[in-house]
Amino acid sequence: MTVQSWWQLADRTQPILNARRVPPRRAQRRLTPPVPVVATIEWEIDGPEQLHTVATRWTSAGDVLVEINDLRRATLGVWLRRGDVVRREPGAARTGRPPG
Protein backbone atom coordinates (compact mmCIF):
# COMPACT_ATOMS: atom_id res chain seq x y z
CA MET A 1 0.00 0.00 0.00
CA THR A 2 1.34 3.42 -0.96
CA VAL A 3 0.63 6.33 1.36
CA GLN A 4 0.49 9.74 -0.29
CA SER A 5 1.95 12.74 1.46
CA TRP A 6 0.00 15.95 1.98
CA TRP A 7 1.65 17.71 -0.97
CA GLN A 8 0.59 14.90 -3.32
CA LEU A 9 -3.03 15.53 -2.31
CA ALA A 10 -2.80 19.34 -2.39
CA ASP A 11 -4.53 19.64 -5.77
CA ARG A 12 -7.55 17.75 -4.39
CA THR A 13 -8.14 19.95 -1.37
CA GLN A 14 -10.66 22.77 -1.39
CA PRO A 15 -11.70 25.40 1.13
CA ILE A 16 -14.81 25.04 3.27
CA LEU A 17 -16.67 28.31 2.84
CA ASN A 18 -18.60 28.12 6.12
CA ALA A 19 -15.55 27.16 8.23
CA ARG A 20 -14.96 29.34 11.29
CA ARG A 21 -11.63 30.43 12.71
CA VAL A 22 -10.22 28.21 15.43
CA PRO A 23 -11.31 29.82 18.72
CA PRO A 24 -8.83 30.41 21.55
CA ARG A 25 -8.08 27.19 23.41
CA ARG A 26 -9.50 28.53 26.70
CA ALA A 27 -12.86 29.18 25.02
CA GLN A 28 -13.20 25.57 23.81
CA ARG A 29 -15.22 23.02 25.79
CA ARG A 30 -14.86 19.28 25.21
CA LEU A 31 -17.91 17.15 24.44
CA THR A 32 -17.49 13.86 26.28
CA PRO A 33 -18.65 11.62 24.79
CA PRO A 34 -18.74 13.16 21.29
CA VAL A 35 -22.24 14.05 20.09
CA PRO A 36 -23.60 12.51 16.85
CA VAL A 37 -24.54 15.30 14.41
CA VAL A 38 -25.32 16.14 10.81
CA ALA A 39 -23.05 18.97 9.68
CA THR A 40 -23.64 21.10 6.60
CA ILE A 41 -20.32 21.63 4.81
CA GLU A 42 -20.11 24.31 2.08
CA TRP A 43 -17.28 23.19 -0.22
CA GLU A 44 -15.87 25.90 -2.49
CA ILE A 45 -16.08 23.74 -5.64
CA ASP A 46 -18.46 20.89 -4.79
CA GLY A 47 -21.07 23.00 -3.00
CA PRO A 48 -23.13 22.05 0.07
CA GLU A 49 -22.95 18.58 1.58
CA GLN A 50 -24.61 17.11 4.66
CA LEU A 51 -22.18 14.90 6.56
CA HIS A 52 -23.01 12.43 9.35
CA THR A 53 -20.23 12.88 11.90
CA VAL A 54 -19.62 13.79 15.54
CA ALA A 55 -19.11 17.07 17.37
CA THR A 56 -16.14 17.00 19.74
CA ARG A 57 -15.90 20.59 21.05
CA TRP A 58 -18.01 23.75 21.34
CA THR A 59 -17.75 27.36 22.48
CA SER A 60 -20.23 29.65 24.21
CA ALA A 61 -19.95 31.94 21.15
CA GLY A 62 -21.79 29.28 19.13
CA ASP A 63 -18.98 27.47 17.32
CA VAL A 64 -18.82 23.66 17.07
CA LEU A 65 -15.87 21.45 16.10
CA VAL A 66 -16.89 18.45 13.99
CA GLU A 67 -14.77 15.56 12.77
CA ILE A 68 -14.23 15.39 9.03
CA ASN A 69 -12.15 12.75 7.27
CA ASP A 70 -12.17 13.74 3.61
CA LEU A 71 -9.43 14.01 0.98
CA ARG A 72 -10.70 17.50 0.19
CA ARG A 73 -9.67 18.64 3.68
CA ALA A 74 -6.08 18.63 5.00
CA THR A 75 -7.15 18.46 8.67
CA LEU A 76 -9.43 16.03 10.52
CA GLY A 77 -11.85 18.62 11.82
CA VAL A 78 -13.57 21.90 11.04
CA TRP A 79 -15.14 24.58 13.24
CA LEU A 80 -18.67 25.50 12.11
CA ARG A 81 -21.30 27.85 13.48
CA ARG A 82 -24.01 26.22 15.58
CA GLY A 83 -26.63 26.74 12.84
CA ASP A 84 -24.71 24.41 10.49
CA VAL A 85 -24.79 21.50 12.96
CA VAL A 86 -27.85 19.45 14.02
CA ARG A 87 -27.93 16.61 16.58
CA ARG A 88 -28.90 13.19 15.25
CA GLU A 89 -29.84 9.81 16.66
CA PRO A 90 -26.94 8.16 18.56
CA GLY A 91 -27.23 4.84 16.67
CA ALA A 92 -26.97 6.38 13.18
CA ALA A 93 -23.97 5.75 10.94
CA ARG A 94 -20.99 7.87 11.94
CA THR A 95 -19.71 9.07 8.58
CA GLY A 96 -20.84 9.37 4.99
CA ARG A 97 -23.75 10.97 3.27
CA PRO A 98 -27.23 10.68 4.75
CA PRO A 99 -29.49 8.06 3.13
CA GLY A 100 -31.84 9.13 0.40
Side-chain angles (χ1 to χ4, degrees):
M1 178 173 98
T2 302
V3 177
Q4 295 177 315
S5 66
W6 68 268
W7 60 268
Q8 291 173 306
L9 299 173
D11 61 335
R12 297 183 198 168
T13 63
Q14 57 184 289
I16 295 176
L17 300 178
N18 60 332
R20 308 282 288 183
R21 294 184 68 126
V22 176
R25 179 69 181 98
R26 289 182 179 253
Q28 300 176 24
R29 300 291 176 253
R30 185 183 312 235
L31 289 169
T32 306
V35 176
V37 297
V38 176
T40 300
I41 307 293
E42 297 277 343
W43 298 102
E44 181 179 65
I45 297 168
D46 297 337
E49 175 182 7
Q50 288 193 324
L51 182 70
H52 284 204
T53 186
V54 293
T56 58
R57 294 188 181 272
W58 64 278
T59 69
S60 60
D63 295 328
V64 180
L65 178 62
V66 297
E67 287 184 1
I68 181 170
N69 188 3
D70 194 296
L71 291 176
R72 296 170 289 182
R73 180 77 175 170
T75 61
L76 295 176
V78 62
W79 283 93
L80 300 171
R81 63 185 183 83
R82 181 178 15 220
D84 291 331
V85 180
V86 178
R87 287 181 185 250
R88 65 182 168 88
E89 295 297 318
R94 183 170 170 169
T95 59
R97 295 172 193 242

